[in-house]
Amino acid sequence: MDQLVATVVPIFAAGFAIQQFLEILDPIVVRLIGERDKKLILGIISLIAGLLIAFGTGLRVLAPLCIYSDIQEGSYFDLLDALITAFIISAGTEGINSVMKFLGYAKESKKGDAAALKAWVSRDEDARDIMYRMDRKRER
């Protein structure tokens, strides 16, 4: 989990920096291009910045999640990881918030699974015996 946090923090910072950069560009784009195409232009600038950051720094969001741990770096999965990372970065803080929300859901799901297992073990005599033996083996 420490590696995941160490990876997500720079992605969050990059997304925040892009978001702030777009805030500065907003009035300039409105003056030069107009309100109608502002969102399109800022979106393209944001995506280009996200691509430059993801490919330039080597930041990846899927690798720390061990999505493809058996596949070597440099494969097309690394390219896909970089593209996904670029999209997340280009979404600013909203993109990284979506990733954090997903991780929160995964954590809550694991808590629920552990609670269900604990309840099952407490009711089943054989399961309780197995867990007791496993705990004794760990103590050795």
Side-chain angles (χ1 to χ4, degrees), residues 30-95:
V30 168
R31 180 169 273 172
L32 294 175
I33 296 179
E35 191 70 40
R36 195 187 78 171
D37 294 329
K38 175 184 86 165
K39 190 171 183 176
L40 173 68
I41 298 301
L42 292 177
I44 291 170
I45 292 170
S46 177
L47 181 59
I48 291 170
L51 288 167
L52 289 172
I53 291 170
F55 283 98
T57 63
L59 288 175
R60 302 292 185 267
V61 77
L62 296 180
L65 296 174
C66 300
I67 301 293
Y68 56 92
S69 59
D70 296 336
I71 299 168
Q72 294 178 348
E73 193 173 316
S75 66
Y76 69 95
F77 285 102
D78 187 55
L79 175 65
L80 179 64
D81 192 357
L83 289 173
I84 290 171
T85 303
F87 281 117
I88 291 171
I89 291 171
S90 71
T93 56
E94 185 178 319

Side-chain angles (χ1 to χ4, degrees), residues 2-49:
D2 291 337
Q3 180 187 3
L4 180 63
V5 171
T7 302
V8 171
V9 168
I11 292 170
F12 178 79
F16 183 74
I18 287 176
Q19 189 172 340
Q20 294 304 310
F21 179 63
L22 292 178
E23 290 291 323
I24 294 169
L25 285 181
D26 186 87
I28 297 169
V29 169
V30 168
R31 180 169 273 172
L32 294 175
I33 296 179
E35 191 70 40
R36 195 187 78 171
D37 294 329
K38 175 184 86 165
K39 190 171 183 176
L40 173 68
I41 298 301
L42 292 177
I44 291 170
I45 292 170
S46 177
L47 181 59
I48 291 170

